[in-house]
Amino acid sequence: MKTLLVVMDALESIHPVKDSTLAMLLEARRRGWRVLYTQPQALELRDGQPLALATEIELEYRDGPPVHFQHHPLGPAAIQALEAGLIILMRKDPPFDMDYIYATHVLQRAQDLGALVVNHPQALRDANEKLFTAWFPQCCAPTLVSASRAHLRAFAAEQGEIILKPLDGMGGASIFRSSAHDPNLNVIIETLTQEGRHLIMAQRYLPEISEGDKRILLVNGEPVPYALARIPSKEDFRGNLAKGGTGRGQPLSERDEWIAREVGPELRRRGVLFAGLDVIGDWLTEINVTSPTCIRELDRQFGLNIAGQLLDAIEQAHATHP
């Protein structure tokens, strides 16, 4: 029997209808895997040995209506060695802060000792959701990463309208739309960079956002053939579902497939078995490797089992893992 340890935020905090991690755990239980649960703050290193205070859990889920979700501990929490043969699913949501980095170091030690960590801890550290797009400039609209007010203002003057955002956020948090003529531009830059102390990202504003911020899921570098276009509400320019956007499934365009072919091989090389590309119009804007979502929405609209595809890939990787 395979054992899966999931590192994630509190189970009580998830939205069961939408949560992609829950889809993965339910699929693991369907396959008869043993499922353990822990949180990042429960990871430990003792004399070089990675450990976690983990609880074995059983899951109950029914689509309803009404939706029914419960999780049950099968015993008290106990110390689990992160050792060879264990599959570890790292699904902690951003922010991508130092605590997150420290967790990946513990998981790196587990990977070195023979556990299979999905996604690879080094990739989690190196492939920042925003910054990793710089490895694929051919896929991206004009982009600047800087802490300089002068450079960011010049970029706004050059591009017309721009989007400004922090490098460590998620779910549309702290994203601003502005322009060189916006009297608030200086204060936006000062706030996001904390008076020039932190790098931020600026991108050309893409009006195609009105047709949706497309989430393209890749399993071991191969795209799921449908994207979830997250359509902004009338009150917001952001398509994020967490900010009131609505999800509309649609087949990948030729350009979507091309972007996936450009990015997929590098993700596979880095040990990223599950990723989410964000594409607006024809342009890649983010590469999500920490805890990509939208499995449930695409499964529901197109009769897919994306978690099943992922666990197939994990089983193949596990069979050949040193």
Side-chain angles (χ1 to χ4, degrees), residues 39-197:
Q39 296 187 59
Q41 61 269 29
L43 297 174
E44 298 183 355
L45 279 171
R46 174 64 190 266
D47 300 326
Q49 173 66 55
L51 308 165
L53 183 64
T55 305
E56 184 173 359
I57 57 171
E58 185 57 271
L59 300 161
E60 293 180 20
Y61 179 80
R62 185 178 63 247
D63 274 327
V67 169
H68 170 79
F69 169 64
Q70 286 186 308
H71 58 93
H72 307 285
L74 297 181
I79 293 293
Q80 167 72 41
L82 309 187
E83 56 194 0
L86 185 66
I87 299 169
I88 302 173
L89 193 60
M90 176 51 158
R91 290 287 297 178
K92 169 71 176 71
D93 285 339
F96 190 84
D97 56 14
M98 287 309 301
D99 287 330
Y100 190 95
I101 295 293
Y102 299 148
T104 68
H105 284 295
V106 178
L107 296 178
Q108 180 72 61
R109 185 66 181 141
Q111 178 89 10
D112 293 345
L113 293 177
L116 175 65
V117 183
V118 180
N119 288 316
H120 195 291
Q122 184 172 344
L124 293 175
R125 288 193 298 275
D126 292 351
N128 174 272
E129 324 264 275
K130 315 292 192 297
L131 288 174
F132 193 44
T133 58
W135 273 250
F136 309 96
Q138 71 277 20
C139 301
C140 302
T143 301
L144 172 67
V145 175
S146 178
S148 166
R149 182 171 73 175
H151 294 171
L152 290 162
R153 284 197 64 91
F155 183 77
E158 173 190 300
Q159 298 300 324
E161 281 194 281
I162 61 170
I163 295 294
L164 301 108
K165 53 189 173 182
L167 297 177
D168 61 353
M170 65 165 289
S174 300
I175 295 179
F176 294 87
R177 175 181 172 184
S178 189
S179 71
H181 305 295
D182 182 357
N184 291 310
L185 179 58
N186 282 346
V187 73
I188 291 171
I189 294 171
E190 290 164 5
T191 300
L192 289 179
T193 66
Q194 294 188 24
E195 301 287 352
R197 292 192 297 273

Side-chain angles (χ1 to χ4, degrees), residues 2 5 31 98 112 132 140 157 179 193 212 233 238 242 253 263 284 287 296:
K2 292 181 174 62
L5 170 68
R31 296 178 183 219
M98 287 309 301
D112 293 345
F132 193 44
C140 302
S179 71
T193 66
S233 68
R238 297 168 295 180
S253 68
V263 178
L284 176 68
I287 301 172
R296 305 300 290 274

Side-chain angles (χ1 to χ4, degrees), residues 216-291:
I216 300 170
L217 296 178
L218 275 67
V219 177
N220 198 22
E222 295 295 326
V224 172
Y226 301 94
L228 190 74
R230 294 161 296 175
I231 314 296
S233 68
K234 293 180 179 180
E235 293 78 28
D236 208 322
F237 67 90
R238 297 168 295 180
N240 308 78
L241 300 182
K243 300 302 179 185
T246 55
R248 182 186 69 202
Q250 59 191 49
L252 299 188
S253 68
E254 289 186 12
R255 174 73 177 189
D256 294 337
E257 292 176 350
W258 176 80
I259 291 172
R261 289 196 301 271
E262 292 290 297
V263 178
E266 181 63 16
L267 291 174
R268 190 183 304 114
R269 186 186 73 80
R270 292 173 180 251
V272 176
L273 290 184
F274 190 58
L277 310 183
D278 289 350
V279 175
I280 298 175
D282 288 337
W283 304 106
L284 176 68
T285 61
E286 293 189 13
I287 301 172
N288 296 271
V289 302
T290 51
S291 56

